[in-house]
């Protein structure tokens, strides 16, 4: 495939690089040897040096091996919010030659059963505020390590602390249940690192909003690829870098873009357990943070906060993210007032984050960017798999060393997820998009999110983008409503800006001037807020499923 985007490749960056063959744990060990007294983490004003961090990783790895019976290849659940303990646990599991299974802290007890069943994990590391959710499964867990985040608040702070962070350590009871603080005081050394390369490092689960969640098998090689590619692309990390870290570590963007990328380069991670714009503004200015990866809604939060001052963000040299397009007005604010471009990117759980990103010096708003180091990405017809040309919408497919090995214990799903082309194995992303004449990729929608309005294909994201331009609309989510004649119609759930007013008829009339008739929302519903997941993305599937349930109840005979 012609690589048109090479004409706009970031300056002084290689096209490819050799991926380390070592365990991901080796990255932190090396940084600790190089910069033992340098702060690896600043946690609500408490600094934690690299040497201490690695010492506690080794201690916890020894505990997992000798006290919990963890062996090479065993899966260990990591069910915790962002904290020093998350970082220590993540690297300790890898140091013990085992596999990290990061889980969403929002999962409830009933949901956790699915992941225990699928992963076969019998050892877990959790936050004390989440421990009660594991208690119903105590009979199947051999060992549980429970962390109190406040154990790492060793200095006075004037920062507002989330409740889970401020809570003092509580007693831990039960056979095989131990405190994290006790586990990292152990002296038993773990066996040498023998994993790396093609060995399994992570079992990351897709959202599972429909059907059975799928576990993505990532090797040390696939994780190492994005661990090193992310900072190399943006050029914002190194021993002097300070990263404000706000995205959840159980999710691939926070895990690789902040935690792994920062620690492999000797950067300092200024960590937040929960997002709070006032605290973020204070931390950026206090520690002169140089990098921030944040979804667009967080950027909007910062710029619209009453305490926002442009001067507070002057230290930032890199600002990027993904998950949702950044509104054009916000992008203009960043470029004109701060002289900074927002680098949007794209990646999946199946690719352990970044596969596409905007070149730092030549960004396009509401754009996925270009394929990054060693990535071959194309657009194909989702039905015939025929490769499409510039500006033709189809399914985005990706080949590269960060692509997962397989779906865990789901060979049929794995077979459906990949296609062969030119001797390469391409992942079918399920995302509809196109590449423009310069090789920049743009997202249109999910393959399965298309609305079929009387035979016309409507992509909800396109309609949403149009609605965002309405002066009274703050947010919008477009779903399919059931129509007896046409099958489906367009329905928009709308959040109005503070102080703004508009009627449904006014919005529809406005939309009629800005989009084709078949794309028009036939129904406007005003809501106070849209439901969001832990990474800030609007949960459109939940809204769509609720619409389908409502329609089925209306259609059901009385």
């Amino acid at each position: 495939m012609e690589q048109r985007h090479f004409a706009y490749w970031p300056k002084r960056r290689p096209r490819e690089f050799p991926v380390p063959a070592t365990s991901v744990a080796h990255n932190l060990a090396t940084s600790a040897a190089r910069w033992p007294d340098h702060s690896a983490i600043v946690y609500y004003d408490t600094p934690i040096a690299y040497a201490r961090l690695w010492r506690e990783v080794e201690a916890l790895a020894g505990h997992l091996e000798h006290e919990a019976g963890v062996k090479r290849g065993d899966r260990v659940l990591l069910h915790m919010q962002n904290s020093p303990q998350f970082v220590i646990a993540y690297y300790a599991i890898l140091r013990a030659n085992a596999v990290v299974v990061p889980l969403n802290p929002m999962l409830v007890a009933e949901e956790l059963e699915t992941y225990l069943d699928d992963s076969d994990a019998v050892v877990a590391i959790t936050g004390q505020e989440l421990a009660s959710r594991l208690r119903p499964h105590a009979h199947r867990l051999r060992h549980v390590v429970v962390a109190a985040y406040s154990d790492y608040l060793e200095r006075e702070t004037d920062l507002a602390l989330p409740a889970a962070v401020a809570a003092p350590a509580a007693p831990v009871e039960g056979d095989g249940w131990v405190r994290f603080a006790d586990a990292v005081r152990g002296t038993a050394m773990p066996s040498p690192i023998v994993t790396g390369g093609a060995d399994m490092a992570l079992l990351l689960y897709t959202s599972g909003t429909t059907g059975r969640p799928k576990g993505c098998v990532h090797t040390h090689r696939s994780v190492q690829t994005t661990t090193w590619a992310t900072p190399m692309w943006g050029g914002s990390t190194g021993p002097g870098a300070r990263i404000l870290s706000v995205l959840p570590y159980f999710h691939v963007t926070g895990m690789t873009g902040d935690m792994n990328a920062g620690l492999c380069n000797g950067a300092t991670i200024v960590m937040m357990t929960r997002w709070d714009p006032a605290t973020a503004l204070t931390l950026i200015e206090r520690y002169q943070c140089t990098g921030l990866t944040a979804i667009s809604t967080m950027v909007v939060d910062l710029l619209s906060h009453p305490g926002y001052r442009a001067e507070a963000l002057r230290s930032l040299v890199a600002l990027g993210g993904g998950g949702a397009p950044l509104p054009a007005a916000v992008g203009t604010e960043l470029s004109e007032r701060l002289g900074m471009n927002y680098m949007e990117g794209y990646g999946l759980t199946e690719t352990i984050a970044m596969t596409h990103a905007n070149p730092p010096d030549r960004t396009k708003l509401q754009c996925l960017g270009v394929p990054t180091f060693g990535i071959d990405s194309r657009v194909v017809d989702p039905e015939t798999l025929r490769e499409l040309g510039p500006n033709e919408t189809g399914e985005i497919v990706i080949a590269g060393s960060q692509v997962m090995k397989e779906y865990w214990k789901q060979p049929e799903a794995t077979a459906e997820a990949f296609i062969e082309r030119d001797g390469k194995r391409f992942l079918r992303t399920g995302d509809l998009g196109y590449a423009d004449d310069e090789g920049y990729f743009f997202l249109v929608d999910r393959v399965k999110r298309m609305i079929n309005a009387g035979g016309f294909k409507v992509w909800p994201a396109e309609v949403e983008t149009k609605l965002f331009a309405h002066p009274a609309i703050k947010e919008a989510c477009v779903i399919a409503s059931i129509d007896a004649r046409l099958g489906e119609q367009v329905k928009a759930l709308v959040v109005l800006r503070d102080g703004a007013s508009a009627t449904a008829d006014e919005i529809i009339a406005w939309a009629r001037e800005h989009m084709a008739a078949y794309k028009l929302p036939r129904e406007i519903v005003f809501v106070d807020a849209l439901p969001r997941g832990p990474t800030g993305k609007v949960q459109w599937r939940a809204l769509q499923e609720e619409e389908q349930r409502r329609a089925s109840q209306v259609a059901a005979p009385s």
Side-chain angles (χ1 to χ4, degrees):
M1 178 185 177
E2 179 188 359
Q3 303 292 339
R4 301 183 299 278
H5 65 282
F6 283 160
Y8 313 103
W9 196 255
K11 298 176 182 178
R12 294 174 291 279
R13 306 288 199 280
R15 299 281 174 81
E16 298 185 42
F17 64 89
V19 179
T22 50
S23 165
V24 176
H26 183 78
N27 297 343
L28 180 56
T30 302
S31 291
R34 286 174 171 164
W35 304 288
D37 300 323
H38 185 52
S39 292
I41 296 170
V42 174
Y43 189 55
Y44 295 99
D45 288 332
T46 294
I48 301 167
Y50 269 95
R52 174 186 174 183
L53 192 67
W54 181 247
R55 183 171 62 250
E56 295 190 0
V57 165
E58 292 255 85
L60 182 56
H63 178 90
L64 291 175
E65 180 180 339
H66 299 291
E67 300 296 327
V70 171
K71 303 184 298 298
R72 176 178 180 174
D74 284 354
R75 276 75 60 202
V76 179
L77 296 187
L78 180 49
H79 189 221
M80 194 181 295
Q81 296 187 66
N82 287 15
S83 58
Q85 291 101 316
F86 187 106
V87 178
I88 293 165
Y90 181 97
Y91 280 89
I93 294 167
L94 298 177
R95 174 63 186 86
N97 298 302
V99 176
V100 184
V101 186
L103 295 182
N104 187 336
M106 296 179 71
L107 292 172
V108 299
E110 182 178 341
E111 294 170 314
L112 287 171
E113 184 174 7
T114 299
Y115 299 93
L116 284 164
D117 285 342
D118 196 67
S119 68
D120 300 317
V122 295
V123 175
I125 306 175
T126 189
Q128 68 174 11
E129 82 286 9
L130 305 173
S132 62
R133 304 180 194 180
L134 283 173
R135 284 289 180 186
H137 311 293
H139 62 285
R140 63 194 304 171
L141 288 167
R142 184 173 65 222
H143 198 84
V144 180
V145 180
V146 182
Y149 308 137
S150 59
D151 285 344
Y152 285 80
L153 298 178
E154 300 170 354
R155 293 191 179 179
E156 292 290 330
T157 182
D158 60 351
L159 299 169
L161 299 176
V165 175
V172 175
E173 300 176 350
D175 187 27
W177 289 60
V178 301
R179 289 190 62 211
F180 191 100
D182 294 332
V184 297
R185 282 197 287 263
T187 58
M189 288 298 295
S191 300
I193 297 176
V194 294
T195 52
D199 292 311
M200 186 176 174
L202 293 177
L203 182 57
L204 287 165
Y205 282 92
T206 57
S207 58
T209 51
T210 57
R212 174 186 172 192
K214 298 193 289 288
C216 303
V217 174
H218 277 287
T219 65
H220 286 271
R221 176 176 172 78
S222 64
V223 179
Q224 288 279 31
T225 301
T226 50
T227 291
W228 292 93
T230 303
M232 194 182 306
W233 185 267
S236 61
T237 66
R242 293 168 297 281
I243 303 166
L244 181 68
S245 186
V246 299
L247 296 179
Y249 292 164
F250 79 87
H251 188 265
V252 291
T253 307
M255 180 193 302
T256 61
D258 288 352
M259 183 179 74
N260 288 339
L263 295 176
C264 80
N265 279 281
T268 296
I269 297 173
V270 181
M271 182 187 296
M272 294 175 63
T273 293
R274 298 294 296 272
W275 171 246
D276 176 71
T279 301
L281 287 166
T282 299
L283 288 172
I284 291 171
E285 191 166 25
R286 180 171 295 176
Y287 293 99
Q288 290 296 284
C289 292
T290 57
L292 169 62
T293 302
I295 60 173
S296 60
T297 52
M298 291 177 173
V299 177
V300 173
D301 282 349
L302 284 178
L303 299 186
S304 62
H305 191 272
Y308 164 70
R309 296 177 298 107
E311 292 73 21
L313 305 183
R314 292 293 181 193
S315 61
L316 291 175
V317 297
L319 174 61
L326 186 75
V330 180
T332 301
E333 165 85 0
L334 290 172
S335 61
E336 292 184 355
R337 295 191 60 181
L338 296 174
M340 184 185 307
N341 293 326
Y342 181 75
M343 293 183 291
E344 294 186 50
Y346 171 77
L348 306 163
T349 303
E350 287 86 345
T351 65
I352 192 74
M354 186 183 79
T355 60
H356 298 63
N358 273 268
D361 298 322
R362 197 176 186 274
T363 61
K364 296 185 181 185
L365 282 176
Q366 300 177 349
C367 170
L368 305 181
V370 302
T372 58
F373 307 105
I375 288 288
D376 186 349
S377 184
R378 310 182 188 187
V379 178
V380 302
D381 184 294
E383 295 181 0
T384 67
L385 302 181
R386 178 180 63 87
E387 190 169 335
L388 303 176
N391 301 304
E392 290 187 283
T393 296
E395 184 175 2
I396 299 171
V397 297
I398 299 169
S401 57
Q402 59 265 69
V403 175
M404 69 171 185
K405 179 181 178 181
E406 62 189 355
Y407 286 121
W408 177 250
K409 297 193 295 189
Q410 296 196 46
E412 292 183 0
T414 300
E416 293 174 358
F418 289 96
I419 60 172
E420 297 287 335
R421 183 69 52 88
D422 299 334
K424 298 179 181 180
R425 184 174 181 249
F426 284 84
L427 173 74
R428 300 188 63 172
T429 66
D431 282 332
L432 288 170
Y434 65 92
D436 67 10
D437 293 328
E438 296 180 329
Y440 282 70
F441 280 68
F442 291 81
L443 184 66
V444 173
D445 227 314
R446 290 287 300 174
V447 170
K448 295 182 180 179
R449 200 186 170 194
M450 181 194 75
I451 299 173
N452 189 344
F456 289 97
K457 296 179 180 179
V458 179
W459 313 126
E462 181 183 3
V463 179
E464 289 166 359
T465 298
K466 294 289 187 183
L467 290 174
F468 286 146
H470 189 287
I473 294 177
K474 179 181 179 181
E475 292 182 298
C477 182
V478 170
I479 60 174
S481 63
I482 307 303
D483 184 272
R485 185 172 63 88
L486 298 175
E488 293 180 341
Q489 279 288 14
V490 180
K491 177 177 181 178
L493 291 91
V494 169
V495 179
L496 294 178
R497 296 181 182 275
D498 292 341
S501 63
T503 66
D505 288 342
E506 288 170 347
I507 291 176
I508 293 173
W510 178 91
R512 187 173 284 111
E513 297 178 2
H514 292 82
M515 63 187 78
Y518 71 88
K519 298 178 184 178
L520 286 177
R522 304 296 172 175
E523 182 180 0
I524 302 288
V525 176
F526 295 101
V527 295
D528 293 331
L530 296 172
R532 295 186 182 277
T535 59
K537 295 180 183 179
V538 173
Q539 294 180 309
W540 65 266
R541 285 188 180 89
L543 294 171
Q544 186 64 71
E545 290 168 359
E546 176 60 30
E547 177 69 14
Q548 290 168 340
R549 283 194 294 270
R550 185 195 64 78
S552 64
Q553 290 170 357
V554 170
S558 57

